[in-house]
Amino acid sequence: MEALTQLLRFNHWANRLIVEHCRSVDPALLDAPPPPGVYGSVRATLAHLAWAEALYVSRLRGEEPVDLPADASLDEIATSLERTGRELLELATSVPGDRVISYTSAVFGPVSVPAAAIVAQAIVHGCDHRSQLAVLFTQLGAPLPELDVWRFVGIRR
């Protein structure tokens, strides 16, 4: 389980760095039209990421998901990501990975999966969208800082 908690700590750290970066750039970049191949604008992508993490937490807790609008403020997104980052870490250590979680997905219909799959999805989903944000910020002329595991563990170039 140690590897999983490290990955969740990394996920939380990387989300924080992106929010910090967003606070340091021209606010107009957050809503700039995205190029093809990414989820959406910076704000829409971050709001989606925050919404999805809240969804995963809700699923693991057996609660109804809470909505976060695509036009959420950066403060709302940051607050949500901070909360869900802590909660995912707590849930990964308190909910047995083999516990079956059942719910109805808007995309897949009725679903029953092990809790570990939901936690894994949270990590993979975050990496996927942070990669898209890296591309988007680079194309907007404001590249993200390095967000890889090496930097997370303190290795610098």
Side-chain angles (χ1 to χ4, degrees):
M1 193 58 116
E2 179 57 29
L4 182 59
T5 57
Q6 279 298 96
L7 285 170
L8 286 167
R9 285 185 184 108
F10 163 75
N11 189 69
H12 195 188
W13 168 85
N15 287 342
R16 274 196 208 125
L17 278 185
I18 288 180
V19 169
E20 287 174 19
H21 185 72
C22 287
R23 294 187 192 287
S24 73
V25 301
D26 179 351
L29 295 182
L30 301 183
D31 298 305
V38 297
Y39 178 85
S41 69
V42 169
R43 181 184 316 276
T45 303
L46 275 176
H48 170 74
L49 180 59
W51 167 83
E53 283 201 6
L55 177 70
Y56 304 139
V57 167
S58 295
R59 297 290 191 229
L60 290 166
R61 290 193 187 283
E63 301 170 352
E64 285 300 311
V66 178
D67 196 24
L68 184 68
D71 64 347
S73 72
L74 189 56
D75 286 339
E76 290 170 315
I77 292 167
T79 298
S80 181
L81 287 171
E82 187 61 34
R83 179 184 56 79
T84 57
R86 287 190 315 270
E87 289 179 339
L88 282 168
L89 188 56
E90 182 267 318
L91 289 164
T93 58
S94 65
V95 174
D98 60 353
R99 177 181 291 165
V100 175
I101 308 289
S102 298
Y103 57 91
T104 301
S105 164
V107 176
F108 303 112
V111 173
S112 292
V113 295
I118 295 172
V119 174
Q121 172 61 17
I123 295 165
V124 171
H125 184 258
C127 288
D128 180 38
H129 285 299
R130 284 190 300 272
S131 178
Q132 291 177 7
L133 286 166
V135 169
L136 185 51
F137 271 116
T138 298
Q139 291 185 358
L140 292 170
L144 285 172
E146 292 180 13
L147 295 175
D148 60 19
V149 173
W150 300 124
R151 182 156 184 246
F152 171 67
V153 298
I155 297 174
R156 305 283 188 253
R157 296 182 200 271

